[in-house]
Amino acid sequence: MVDVDELVAAARVVRLPMRVRFRGITTREAVVFEGPEGWGEFGPFPEYGDAEAAHWLRAGIEAAYLGFPEPLRTAVPVNATVPAVPPDRVPEVLARFPGCRVAKVKVAEAGQALAQDLDRVAAVREAMPGGAVRVDANGGWTIDQAERALLRLLEGGPLDYAEQPCATVEELAEVRRRLDGACEIAADESIRRADDPMRVAELAAADVAVVKVAPLGGVRAVLDVAAALKAAAGVRVTVSSALDTAVGLSAGIAAAACIPDGNAAGLGTGGFFAADLGEHPLVDGALRVRAVAPTEERLAAVEVTGERRDWWLDRLRRCHTLLP
């Protein structure tokens, strides 16, 4: 295991300003550090406890000190991601995803009504004619709400899948049973925030697994989970971003490039940042497989000092003690 003092000495705490509110935040903080194989990222959301956040540190150490497996492809197709914005802002958001033919739309946002979700999805369908639409509720509905909402959304056209409509695996299984094939169900939090990701397969709770590198502990951990879910229940896999900086996004792209039959990945989130640590240009709806090495100029422009830096480094030290 890498010595924690070595990590702290290399650590740079950054705060990236965002163009739109996403996941309830307008800035994204993380720690990045350089190792012999490149740069790693540690950026668990502030509300996560140390035990859960330790997986994010393990993923960052893997990137910086082990590097990534050999990819199967040189580019990864991605979906557009549409936050819970008003319908008139949908074209502006989609413009940041040139060439994408799949859009994932946030629904069930706290404080919003189903009518707003319906209008937002309709605006996406209008702006991306012939494209595929996914919706993501982040566990925000009850079983009855999910059934009602998804049937209403399906009246406007097919859905590629509905991601985490309810919070628990058992609830996902019931929603999937009620819909009876009308819409595929994807599990996100039920995998990345679960003690046993395989319960999704055991309970026949999902058709799709949305996997994220940092919460699962690294690229190799993602590939292991993806292979196990595929073998156990034929669950297809979508690799997604945990609102990573360009450093962390490199790991997500590496994972997606190693999955033989992956879907359009949810990795096109770089456009949400007004400033970032590097670039992953989106060309014809795809991201090239490459690792970002931030320049000193980019780091200095978004670096955090003082008490907030101390808070992150203290957290890194605590999480390090929990690693095997």
Side-chain angles (χ1 to χ4, degrees):
M1 178 53 64
V2 181
D3 183 78
V4 68
D5 291 331
E6 182 177 342
L7 291 176
V8 169
R12 309 289 291 270
V13 180
V14 298
R15 178 185 294 135
L16 306 185
M18 299 179 63
R19 300 181 192 276
V20 295
R21 179 178 293 274
F22 190 79
R23 207 183 171 279
I25 60 175
T26 55
T27 60
R28 180 71 168 107
E29 292 184 348
V31 182
V32 294
F33 45 83
E34 187 177 15
E37 295 297 325
W39 285 78
E41 177 173 323
F42 171 63
F45 297 109
E47 67 269 22
Y48 289 5
D50 289 351
E52 189 172 358
H55 295 296
W56 298 60
L57 181 56
R58 184 156 62 97
I61 291 172
E62 177 197 56
Y65 287 84
L66 292 179
F68 304 129
E70 194 68 25
L72 301 177
R73 58 184 68 84
T74 59
V76 173
V78 302
N79 63 238
T81 301
V82 180
V85 297
D88 60 356
R89 293 198 63 189
V90 165
E92 165 201 337
V93 172
L94 291 178
R96 302 193 194 110
F97 300 91
C100 289
R101 300 303 301 153
V102 181
K104 183 170 81 169
V105 187
K106 292 293 182 180
V107 294
E109 181 84 355
Q112 294 190 7
L114 176 58
Q116 292 167 283
D117 294 336
L118 294 169
D119 289 345
R120 186 180 311 112
V121 171
V124 171
R125 295 188 193 281
E126 182 179 356
M128 188 184 284
V133 176
R134 303 166 173 173
V135 294
D136 181 7
N138 287 119
W141 288 322
T142 66
I143 293 171
D144 289 341
Q145 288 171 335
E147 180 184 19
R148 182 168 60 253
L150 291 174
L151 289 175
R152 288 289 307 279
L153 287 163
L154 286 164
E155 291 174 3
L159 295 174
D160 187 38
Y161 58 68
E163 183 175 326
Q164 201 69 39
C166 302
T168 70
V169 178
E170 291 78 11
E171 289 171 324
L172 294 187
E174 176 60 16
V175 171
R176 185 169 182 260
R177 185 193 68 77
R178 291 190 187 187
L179 291 177
D180 192 26
C183 174
E184 291 194 337
I185 300 299
D188 177 8
E189 288 88 347
S190 290
I191 293 175
R192 65 180 170 87
R193 302 195 71 178
D195 293 331
D196 180 11
M198 295 305 296
R199 273 183 59 76
V200 165
E202 292 166 4
L203 298 184
D207 307 278
V208 180
V210 179
V211 294
K212 301 181 180 182
V213 169
L216 287 175
V219 172
R220 290 165 179 82
V222 161
L223 299 181
D224 288 345
V225 169
L229 288 169
K230 180 74 172 178
V235 176
R236 59 193 178 108
V237 170
T238 299
V239 178
S240 189
S241 164
L243 202 56
D244 311 297
T245 77
V247 168
L249 202 60
S250 299
I253 296 169
C258 289
I259 294 177
D261 54 354
N263 299 303
L267 297 170
T269 53
F272 291 142
F273 297 119
D276 203 345
L277 300 180
E279 303 293 338
H280 286 288
L282 189 57
V283 179
D284 294 330
L287 298 173
R288 186 163 59 89
V289 180
R290 60 184 291 270
V292 159
T295 64
E296 181 58 34
E297 181 180 10
R298 283 185 180 266
L299 286 164
V302 293
E303 190 162 15
V304 174
T305 59
E307 291 183 3
R308 196 61 186 165
R309 179 179 185 275
D310 294 340
W311 184 88
W312 273 102
L313 296 184
D314 287 343
R315 191 183 194 195
L316 186 154
R317 287 185 180 276
R318 294 196 311 271
C319 290
H320 189 272
T321 66
L322 301 177
L323 296 178

Short mmCIF file of all heavy atoms in Angstrom, two decimals, residues 97-152:
data_model
loop_
_atom_site.label_atom_id
_atom_site.label_comp_id
_atom_site.label_asym_id
_atom_site.label_seq_id
_atom_site.Cartn_x
_atom_site.Cartn_y
_atom_site.Cartn_z
N PHE A 97 -22.94 18.25 -26.33
CA PHE A 97 -22.71 16.83 -26.58
C PHE A 97 -22.80 16.54 -28.08
O PHE A 97 -23.67 15.80 -28.52
CB PHE A 97 -23.73 15.98 -25.82
CG PHE A 97 -23.68 16.16 -24.33
CD1 PHE A 97 -24.47 17.11 -23.70
CD2 PHE A 97 -22.83 15.38 -23.55
CE1 PHE A 97 -24.43 17.27 -22.33
CE2 PHE A 97 -22.79 15.53 -22.18
CZ PHE A 97 -23.58 16.48 -21.56
N PRO A 98 -21.90 17.12 -28.87
CA PRO A 98 -21.99 16.96 -30.33
C PRO A 98 -21.87 15.49 -30.75
O PRO A 98 -20.98 14.77 -30.31
CB PRO A 98 -20.80 17.78 -30.84
CG PRO A 98 -19.85 17.88 -29.68
CD PRO A 98 -20.71 17.91 -28.46
N GLY A 99 -22.81 15.07 -31.58
CA GLY A 99 -22.77 13.71 -32.13
C GLY A 99 -23.43 12.66 -31.28
O GLY A 99 -23.57 11.51 -31.73
N CYS A 100 -23.85 12.98 -30.06
CA CYS A 100 -24.47 11.98 -29.19
C CYS A 100 -25.87 11.66 -29.68
O CYS A 100 -26.65 12.56 -30.00
CB CYS A 100 -24.52 12.47 -27.74
SG CYS A 100 -22.91 12.54 -26.94
N ARG A 101 -26.21 10.37 -29.69
CA ARG A 101 -27.53 9.93 -30.11
C ARG A 101 -28.31 9.28 -28.97
O ARG A 101 -29.37 8.69 -29.19
CB ARG A 101 -27.42 8.95 -31.29
CG ARG A 101 -26.74 9.55 -32.51
CD ARG A 101 -27.45 10.80 -32.99
NE ARG A 101 -28.85 10.53 -33.33
CZ ARG A 101 -29.80 11.44 -33.29
NH1 ARG A 101 -29.53 12.68 -32.89
NH2 ARG A 101 -31.05 11.13 -33.61
N VAL A 102 -27.76 9.36 -27.77
CA VAL A 102 -28.43 8.87 -26.57
C VAL A 102 -28.36 9.99 -25.54
O VAL A 102 -27.32 10.62 -25.37
CB VAL A 102 -27.75 7.61 -26.00
CG1 VAL A 102 -28.48 7.12 -24.75
CG2 VAL A 102 -27.68 6.51 -27.05
N ALA A 103 -29.48 10.25 -24.84
CA ALA A 103 -29.51 11.27 -23.80
C ALA A 103 -30.06 10.67 -22.51
O ALA A 103 -31.07 9.95 -22.53
CB ALA A 103 -30.36 12.46 -24.22
N LYS A 104 -29.37 10.96 -21.40
CA LYS A 104 -29.88 10.57 -20.08
C LYS A 104 -30.43 11.82 -19.41
O LYS A 104 -29.72 12.81 -19.26
CB LYS A 104 -28.79 9.94 -19.21
CG LYS A 104 -29.32 9.47 -17.87
CD LYS A 104 -28.31 8.64 -17.10
CE LYS A 104 -27.29 9.48 -16.40
NZ LYS A 104 -26.48 8.69 -15.45
N VAL A 105 -31.69 11.76 -18.99
CA VAL A 105 -32.40 12.92 -18.48
C VAL A 105 -32.68 12.73 -16.99
O VAL A 105 -33.25 11.71 -16.60
CB VAL A 105 -33.72 13.14 -19.24
CG1 VAL A 105 -34.36 14.46 -18.81
CG2 VAL A 105 -33.49 13.11 -20.75
N LYS A 106 -32.30 13.70 -16.18
CA LYS A 106 -32.58 13.64 -14.75
C LYS A 106 -34.06 13.91 -14.50
O LYS A 106 -34.62 14.88 -15.02
CB LYS A 106 -31.73 14.66 -13.99
CG LYS A 106 -30.23 14.35 -14.00
CD LYS A 106 -29.92 13.10 -13.21
CE LYS A 106 -28.42 12.82 -13.18
NZ LYS A 106 -28.08 11.60 -12.42
N VAL A 107 -34.67 13.05 -13.68
CA VAL A 107 -36.07 13.20 -13.29
C VAL A 107 -36.18 13.02 -11.78
O VAL A 107 -35.20 12.70 -11.11
CB VAL A 107 -36.97 12.18 -14.02
CG1 VAL A 107 -37.00 12.45 -15.52
CG2 VAL A 107 -36.50 10.74 -13.76
N ALA A 108 -37.38 13.22 -11.24
CA ALA A 108 -37.65 13.05 -9.80
C ALA A 108 -36.78 13.97 -8.95
O ALA A 108 -36.43 13.63 -7.82
CB ALA A 108 -37.44 11.59 -9.38
N GLU A 109 -36.45 15.14 -9.47
CA GLU A 109 -35.66 16.11 -8.71
C GLU A 109 -36.49 16.63 -7.54
O GLU A 109 -37.67 16.92 -7.66
CB GLU A 109 -35.27 17.27 -9.62
CG GLU A 109 -34.42 18.34 -8.97
CD GLU A 109 -32.94 17.98 -8.97
OE1 GLU A 109 -32.59 16.87 -9.39
OE2 GLU A 109 -32.14 18.84 -8.55
N ALA A 110 -35.86 16.73 -6.38
CA ALA A 110 -36.55 17.24 -5.19
C ALA A 110 -37.12 18.63 -5.47
O ALA A 110 -36.43 19.50 -6.01
CB ALA A 110 -35.59 17.31 -4.01
N GLY A 111 -38.39 18.82 -5.11
CA GLY A 111 -39.04 20.11 -5.32
C GLY A 111 -39.69 20.27 -6.68
O GLY A 111 -40.32 21.30 -6.93
N GLN A 112 -39.52 19.28 -7.57
CA GLN A 112 -40.14 19.36 -8.89
C GLN A 112 -41.26 18.33 -9.00
O GLN A 112 -41.31 17.35 -8.26
CB GLN A 112 -39.10 19.14 -9.99
CG GLN A 112 -38.06 20.25 -10.08
CD GLN A 112 -37.19 20.13 -11.32
OE1 GLN A 112 -37.43 19.31 -12.20
NE2 GLN A 112 -36.18 20.98 -11.39
N ALA A 113 -42.15 18.57 -9.95
CA ALA A 113 -43.31 17.69 -10.16
C ALA A 113 -43.12 16.85 -11.42
O ALA A 113 -42.27 17.14 -12.26
CB ALA A 113 -44.57 18.54 -10.29
N LEU A 114 -43.94 15.81 -11.53
CA LEU A 114 -43.87 14.92 -12.69
C LEU A 114 -44.09 15.70 -13.99
O LEU A 114 -43.47 15.39 -15.01
CB LEU A 114 -44.91 13.81 -12.56
CG LEU A 114 -45.04 12.85 -13.74
CD1 LEU A 114 -43.72 12.16 -14.06
CD2 LEU A 114 -46.13 11.82 -13.47
N ALA A 115 -44.96 16.71 -13.94
CA ALA A 115 -45.21 17.49 -15.16
C ALA A 115 -43.92 18.11 -15.69
O ALA A 115 -43.72 18.20 -16.92
CB ALA A 115 -46.24 18.59 -14.87
N GLN A 116 -43.03 18.53 -14.79
CA GLN A 116 -41.76 19.11 -15.23
C GLN A 116 -40.86 18.04 -15.87
O GLN A 116 -40.16 18.32 -16.84
CB GLN A 116 -41.05 19.76 -14.04
CG GLN A 116 -41.78 21.01 -13.54
CD GLN A 116 -41.28 21.46 -12.19
OE1 GLN A 116 -41.62 20.87 -11.16
NE2 GLN A 116 -40.45 22.50 -12.17
N ASP A 117 -40.90 16.82 -15.32
CA ASP A 117 -40.14 15.72 -15.93
C ASP A 117 -40.65 15.43 -17.34
O ASP A 117 -39.87 15.24 -18.28
CB ASP A 117 -40.25 14.45 -15.08
CG ASP A 117 -39.60 14.58 -13.71
OD1 ASP A 117 -38.70 15.43 -13.57
OD2 ASP A 117 -39.99 13.82 -12.81
N LEU A 118 -41.98 15.38 -17.47
CA LEU A 118 -42.57 15.09 -18.77
C LEU A 118 -42.18 16.16 -19.79
O LEU A 118 -41.84 15.85 -20.94
CB LEU A 118 -44.09 15.01 -18.64
CG LEU A 118 -44.63 13.84 -17.80
CD1 LEU A 118 -46.12 14.03 -17.54
CD2 LEU A 118 -44.38 12.52 -18.51
N ASP A 119 -42.22 17.40 -19.38
CA ASP A 119 -41.87 18.50 -20.29
C ASP A 119 -40.39 18.43 -20.68
O ASP A 119 -40.03 18.68 -21.84
CB ASP A 119 -42.17 19.85 -19.64
CG ASP A 119 -43.66 20.13 -19.52
OD1 ASP A 119 -44.44 19.43 -20.19
OD2 ASP A 119 -44.03 21.02 -18.74
N ARG A 120 -39.52 18.11 -19.71
CA ARG A 120 -38.09 18.05 -19.99
C ARG A 120 -37.78 16.92 -20.97
O ARG A 120 -37.02 17.09 -21.94
CB ARG A 120 -37.31 17.85 -18.69
CG ARG A 120 -35.78 17.91 -18.85
CD ARG A 120 -35.08 17.71 -17.51
NE ARG A 120 -35.64 18.59 -16.50
CZ ARG A 120 -36.35 18.15 -15.45
NH1 ARG A 120 -36.54 16.86 -15.27
NH2 ARG A 120 -36.85 19.01 -14.58
N VAL A 121 -38.36 15.75 -20.73
CA VAL A 121 -38.12 14.61 -21.63
C VAL A 121 -38.68 14.90 -23.01
O VAL A 121 -38.05 14.57 -24.03
CB VAL A 121 -38.72 13.32 -21.02
CG1 VAL A 121 -38.66 12.18 -22.04
CG2 VAL A 121 -37.96 12.92 -19.76
N ALA A 122 -39.84 15.53 -23.07
CA ALA A 122 -40.42 15.89 -24.37
C ALA A 122 -39.50 16.85 -25.12
O ALA A 122 -39.33 16.74 -26.35
CB ALA A 122 -41.80 16.52 -24.17
N ALA A 123 -38.89 17.78 -24.40
CA ALA A 123 -37.98 18.73 -25.04
C ALA A 123 -36.75 18.01 -25.58
O ALA A 123 -36.22 18.38 -26.64
CB ALA A 123 -37.57 19.81 -24.04
N VAL A 124 -36.27 16.99 -24.86
CA VAL A 124 -35.13 16.21 -25.34
C VAL A 124 -35.51 15.45 -26.61
O VAL A 124 -34.75 15.42 -27.59
CB VAL A 124 -34.63 15.25 -24.25
CG1 VAL A 124 -33.60 14.28 -24.81
CG2 VAL A 124 -34.04 16.02 -23.08
N ARG A 125 -36.67 14.82 -26.61
CA ARG A 125 -37.12 14.09 -27.80
C ARG A 125 -37.21 15.02 -29.01
O ARG A 125 -36.85 14.65 -30.13
CB ARG A 125 -38.47 13.44 -27.55
CG ARG A 125 -38.47 12.35 -26.48
CD ARG A 125 -39.83 11.65 -26.45
NE ARG A 125 -40.04 10.81 -25.30
CZ ARG A 125 -39.55 9.59 -25.14
NH1 ARG A 125 -38.79 9.07 -26.10
NH2 ARG A 125 -39.81 8.89 -24.05
N GLU A 126 -37.70 16.24 -28.78
CA GLU A 126 -37.85 17.19 -29.88
C GLU A 126 -36.49 17.66 -30.39
O GLU A 126 -36.28 17.81 -31.60
CB GLU A 126 -38.67 18.39 -29.41
CG GLU A 126 -38.91 19.42 -30.49
CD GLU A 126 -39.76 20.59 -30.01
OE1 GLU A 126 -40.21 20.56 -28.85
OE2 GLU A 126 -39.96 21.53 -30.80
N ALA A 127 -35.54 17.88 -29.46
CA ALA A 127 -34.22 18.39 -29.85
C ALA A 127 -33.32 17.30 -30.42
O ALA A 127 -32.35 17.61 -31.11
CB ALA A 127 -33.55 19.04 -28.64
N MET A 128 -33.62 16.02 -30.10
CA MET A 128 -32.80 14.91 -30.58
C MET A 128 -33.70 13.88 -31.27
O MET A 128 -33.87 12.76 -30.78
CB MET A 128 -32.05 14.27 -29.39
CG MET A 128 -31.01 13.23 -29.79
SD MET A 128 -30.26 12.42 -28.33
CE MET A 128 -29.15 13.71 -27.78
N PRO A 129 -34.30 14.25 -32.40
CA PRO A 129 -35.24 13.34 -33.06
C PRO A 129 -34.56 12.03 -33.47
O PRO A 129 -33.46 12.04 -34.03
CB PRO A 129 -35.71 14.14 -34.28
CG PRO A 129 -34.66 15.18 -34.49
CD PRO A 129 -34.12 15.51 -33.14
N GLY A 130 -35.22 10.93 -33.14
CA GLY A 130 -34.66 9.63 -33.48
C GLY A 130 -33.64 9.11 -32.49
O GLY A 130 -33.19 7.96 -32.60
N GLY A 131 -33.25 9.94 -31.51
CA GLY A 131 -32.28 9.50 -30.51
C GLY A 131 -32.93 8.67 -29.42
O GLY A 131 -34.16 8.63 -29.28
N ALA A 132 -32.12 7.99 -28.64
CA ALA A 132 -32.60 7.18 -27.52
C ALA A 132 -32.60 8.02 -26.26
O ALA A 132 -31.69 8.83 -26.04
CB ALA A 132 -31.74 5.95 -27.35
N VAL A 133 -33.60 7.81 -25.40
CA VAL A 133 -33.73 8.56 -24.16
C VAL A 133 -33.68 7.62 -22.96
O VAL A 133 -34.41 6.61 -22.93
CB VAL A 133 -35.05 9.37 -24.13
CG1 VAL A 133 -35.22 10.07 -22.79
CG2 VAL A 133 -35.06 10.40 -25.26
N ARG A 134 -32.83 7.95 -22.01
CA ARG A 134 -32.80 7.29 -20.71
C ARG A 134 -33.26 8.30 -19.66
O ARG A 134 -33.04 9.49 -19.83
CB ARG A 134 -31.37 6.84 -20.36
CG ARG A 134 -30.73 5.93 -21.38
CD ARG A 134 -29.23 5.80 -21.16
NE ARG A 134 -28.65 4.79 -22.06
CZ ARG A 134 -27.35 4.57 -22.18
NH1 ARG A 134 -26.47 5.28 -21.48
NH2 ARG A 134 -26.92 3.62 -23.00
N VAL A 135 -33.86 7.83 -18.58
CA VAL A 135 -34.19 8.72 -17.47
C VAL A 135 -33.51 8.20 -16.20
O VAL A 135 -33.33 7.00 -16.04
CB VAL A 135 -35.71 8.87 -17.26
CG1 VAL A 135 -36.35 9.57 -18.44
CG2 VAL A 135 -36.38 7.53 -16.99
N ASP A 136 -33.16 9.12 -15.33
CA ASP A 136 -32.46 8.78 -14.09
C ASP A 136 -33.14 9.48 -12.92
O ASP A 136 -33.14 10.71 -12.83
CB ASP A 136 -30.99 9.22 -14.18
CG ASP A 136 -30.19 8.86 -12.93
OD1 ASP A 136 -30.72 8.17 -12.05
OD2 ASP A 136 -29.02 9.29 -12.85
N ALA A 137 -33.73 8.68 -12.02
CA ALA A 137 -34.47 9.23 -10.88
C ALA A 137 -33.65 9.26 -9.60
O ALA A 137 -34.11 9.79 -8.59
CB ALA A 137 -35.74 8.42 -10.64
N ASN A 138 -32.45 8.68 -9.61
CA ASN A 138 -31.60 8.67 -8.41
C ASN A 138 -32.34 8.18 -7.17
O ASN A 138 -32.17 8.70 -6.07
CB ASN A 138 -31.00 10.05 -8.14
CG ASN A 138 -29.90 10.41 -9.13
OD1 ASN A 138 -30.03 11.39 -9.86
ND2 ASN A 138 -28.84 9.64 -9.18
N GLY A 139 -33.21 7.19 -7.37
CA GLY A 139 -33.93 6.60 -6.24
C GLY A 139 -35.00 7.49 -5.66
O GLY A 139 -35.45 7.28 -4.53
N GLY A 140 -35.47 8.47 -6.42
CA GLY A 140 -36.36 9.49 -5.88
C GLY A 140 -37.83 9.14 -5.82
O GLY A 140 -38.62 9.92 -5.28
N TRP A 141 -38.26 8.01 -6.39
CA TRP A 141 -39.67 7.65 -6.41
C TRP A 141 -39.97 6.46 -5.49
O TRP A 141 -39.10 5.62 -5.24
CB TRP A 141 -40.09 7.25 -7.83
CG TRP A 141 -40.18 8.36 -8.81
CD1 TRP A 141 -40.64 9.63 -8.59
CD2 TRP A 141 -39.84 8.31 -10.20
NE1 TRP A 141 -40.59 10.37 -9.75
CE2 TRP A 141 -40.11 9.59 -10.76
CE3 TRP A 141 -39.34 7.31 -11.04
CZ2 TRP A 141 -39.89 9.89 -12.10
CZ3 TRP A 141 -39.12 7.59 -12.37
CH2 TRP A 141 -39.39 8.87 -12.90
N THR A 142 -41.20 6.39 -5.02
CA THR A 142 -41.71 5.16 -4.44
C THR A 142 -42.06 4.20 -5.57
O THR A 142 -42.03 4.57 -6.76
CB THR A 142 -42.97 5.42 -3.60
OG1 THR A 142 -44.02 5.86 -4.48
CG2 THR A 142 -42.71 6.48 -2.53
N ILE A 143 -42.43 2.98 -5.23
CA ILE A 143 -42.81 2.01 -6.26
C ILE A 143 -43.99 2.52 -7.08
O ILE A 143 -43.97 2.50 -8.32
CB ILE A 143 -43.14 0.65 -5.63
CG1 ILE A 143 -41.88 0.02 -5.02
CG2 ILE A 143 -43.74 -0.30 -6.67
CD1 ILE A 143 -42.15 -1.23 -4.20
N ASP A 144 -45.03 2.99 -6.38
CA ASP A 144 -46.22 3.47 -7.10
C ASP A 144 -45.91 4.70 -7.94
O ASP A 144 -46.39 4.83 -9.07
CB ASP A 144 -47.33 3.80 -6.10
CG ASP A 144 -47.93 2.55 -5.46
OD1 ASP A 144 -47.77 1.45 -6.03
OD2 ASP A 144 -48.56 2.68 -4.40
N GLN A 145 -45.10 5.62 -7.39
CA GLN A 145 -44.74 6.81 -8.16
C GLN A 145 -43.94 6.43 -9.40
O GLN A 145 -44.14 7.01 -10.48
CB GLN A 145 -43.91 7.75 -7.28
CG GLN A 145 -44.70 8.47 -6.21
CD GLN A 145 -43.81 9.23 -5.25
OE1 GLN A 145 -42.63 8.89 -5.07
NE2 GLN A 145 -44.35 10.26 -4.61
N ALA A 146 -43.01 5.47 -9.25
CA ALA A 146 -42.19 5.06 -10.38
C ALA A 146 -43.05 4.43 -11.48
O ALA A 146 -42.88 4.74 -12.67
CB ALA A 146 -41.13 4.06 -9.91
N GLU A 147 -43.97 3.56 -11.08
CA GLU A 147 -44.85 2.93 -12.08
C GLU A 147 -45.65 3.99 -12.83
O GLU A 147 -45.72 3.97 -14.07
CB GLU A 147 -45.78 1.94 -11.39
CG GLU A 147 -46.71 1.24 -12.36
CD GLU A 147 -47.70 0.32 -11.65
OE1 GLU A 147 -47.91 0.48 -10.43
OE2 GLU A 147 -48.27 -0.55 -12.34
N ARG A 148 -46.26 4.90 -12.08
CA ARG A 148 -47.09 5.93 -12.71
C ARG A 148 -46.25 6.84 -13.60
O ARG A 148 -46.63 7.13 -14.74
CB ARG A 148 -47.77 6.75 -11.62
CG ARG A 148 -48.70 7.84 -12.15
CD ARG A 148 -49.57 8.43 -11.05
NE ARG A 148 -48.78 9.04 -9.99
CZ ARG A 148 -48.62 8.51 -8.78
NH1 ARG A 148 -49.18 7.35 -8.47
NH2 ARG A 148 -47.90 9.14 -7.85
N ALA A 149 -45.10 7.29 -13.10
CA ALA A 149 -44.27 8.22 -13.86
C ALA A 149 -43.73 7.57 -15.13
O ALA A 149 -43.74 8.18 -16.21
CB ALA A 149 -43.11 8.71 -12.98
N LEU A 150 -43.25 6.34 -15.02
CA LEU A 150 -42.65 5.70 -16.20
C LEU A 150 -43.70 5.40 -17.26
O LEU A 150 -43.44 5.54 -18.46
CB LEU A 150 -41.90 4.44 -15.78
CG LEU A 150 -40.64 4.71 -14.94
CD1 LEU A 150 -40.03 3.40 -14.44
CD2 LEU A 150 -39.61 5.49 -15.74
N LEU A 151 -44.89 4.99 -16.84
CA LEU A 151 -45.95 4.77 -17.83
C LEU A 151 -46.33 6.06 -18.53
O LEU A 151 -46.58 6.08 -19.74
CB LEU A 151 -47.16 4.13 -17.15
CG LEU A 151 -46.97 2.67 -16.71
CD1 LEU A 151 -48.19 2.16 -15.95
CD2 LEU A 151 -46.66 1.76 -17.90
N ARG A 152 -46.36 7.18 -17.80
CA ARG A 152 -46.63 8.47 -18.41
C ARG A 152 -45.51 8.85 -19.39
O ARG A 152 -45.77 9.34 -20.49
CB ARG A 152 -46.78 9.55 -17.33
CG ARG A 152 -48.05 9.46 -16.51
CD ARG A 152 -49.28 9.87 -17.34
NE ARG A 152 -49.14 11.17 -17.97
CZ ARG A 152 -49.34 12.34 -17.34
NH1 ARG A 152 -49.67 12.36 -16.05
NH2 ARG A 152 -49.21 13.47 -18.01
#
